[in-house]
Amino acid sequence: MMGLAKGLKHTLQNMSKKKVSYNYPDESIPLPERFRGIQKFYPEKCIVCNQCVNVCPTDCIDLTGKKNPDPDKKGKIIETYNINFEICILCDLCTEVCPTEAIVMTNNFELAEYSRDELFKDLQWLDENDTNVRKEN
Ligand code: SF4
Ligand code: SF4
């Protein structure tokens, strides 16, 4: 009987306190500004310098570029850009070295899939991953 009273007292005391849990996934979880989530890629900003590929500690980025078809413009444009999220450790190094901020971290952390093949994300997927892009890169 004492145990029941103690439990009831604890429940009543905590009923009026602010909730510490979220109704996820219906309610999104507030994340810190510097959260390192799945990258967003801006193909139009990429100058195909390969710095992100060279710095990546897990070799999970591969890209190809081609000569800019516009005769008035120099340099290359991006052709393919893939990240293998099976081995990406979301370390942020690729976004840190990118001189044009073509690749940035986001607050998106939802990458659960039934197949490992689905963790291989291409340019189009990374371009469309633009929810909650981190303000400060
Ligand atoms: S976050 Fe790190 S591991 Fe992932 S692609 Fe960028 S550099 Fe590579
Ligand atoms: S570092 Fe940036 S600009 Fe250079 S290839 Fe990577 S994404 Fe493109």
Side-chain angles (χ1 to χ4, degrees):
M1 193 65 191
M2 270 303 281
L4 178 70
K6 269 187 188 173
L8 200 58
K9 184 182 158 203
H10 186 74
T11 305
L12 292 170
Q13 275 175 344
N14 283 281
M15 269 174 78
S16 55
K17 284 188 183 167
K18 196 180 166 216
K19 281 186 194 167
V20 291
S21 56
Y22 292 89
N23 192 22
Y24 180 82
D26 296 331
E27 196 181 331
S28 59
I29 302 166
L31 295 165
E33 272 188 26
R34 301 288 298 167
F35 185 79
R36 301 198 303 253
I38 307 155
Q39 296 91 320
K40 149 86 180 160
F41 182 63
Y42 296 91
E44 67 283 2
K45 288 187 184 177
C46 181
I47 55 172
V48 199
C49 65
N50 271 298
Q51 290 198 60
C52 52
V53 175
N54 294 336
V55 79
C56 180
T58 63
D59 282 337
C60 63
I61 305 176
D62 74 81
L63 62 84
T64 58
K66 61 180 179 186
K67 199 170 172 282
N68 197 324
D70 186 342
D72 298 332
K73 289 186 181 161
K74 285 181 184 171
K76 288 180 172 178
I77 58 165
I78 197 78
E79 202 167 19
T80 64
Y81 194 96
N82 307 305
I83 300 181
N84 180 0
F85 284 100
E86 234 187 307
I87 50 174
C88 171
I89 54 172
L90 297 170
C91 65
D92 198 19
L93 288 175
C94 54
T95 71
E96 289 291 330
V97 295
C98 181
T100 61
E101 299 200 347
I103 183 113
V104 295
M105 304 306 276
T106 71
N107 278 357
N108 180 14
F109 59 87
E110 292 166 323
L111 203 57
E113 302 284 0
Y114 286 106
S115 163
R116 289 184 172 190
D117 295 343
E118 300 290 322
L119 295 172
F120 195 81
K121 302 298 185 190
D122 63 6
L123 187 151
Q124 190 188 347
W125 189 96
L126 292 163
D127 187 14
E128 287 168 2
N129 181 36
D130 52 8
T131 49
N132 300 322
V133 172
R134 206 166 75 185
K135 286 179 210 120
E136 187 199 347
N137 189 28

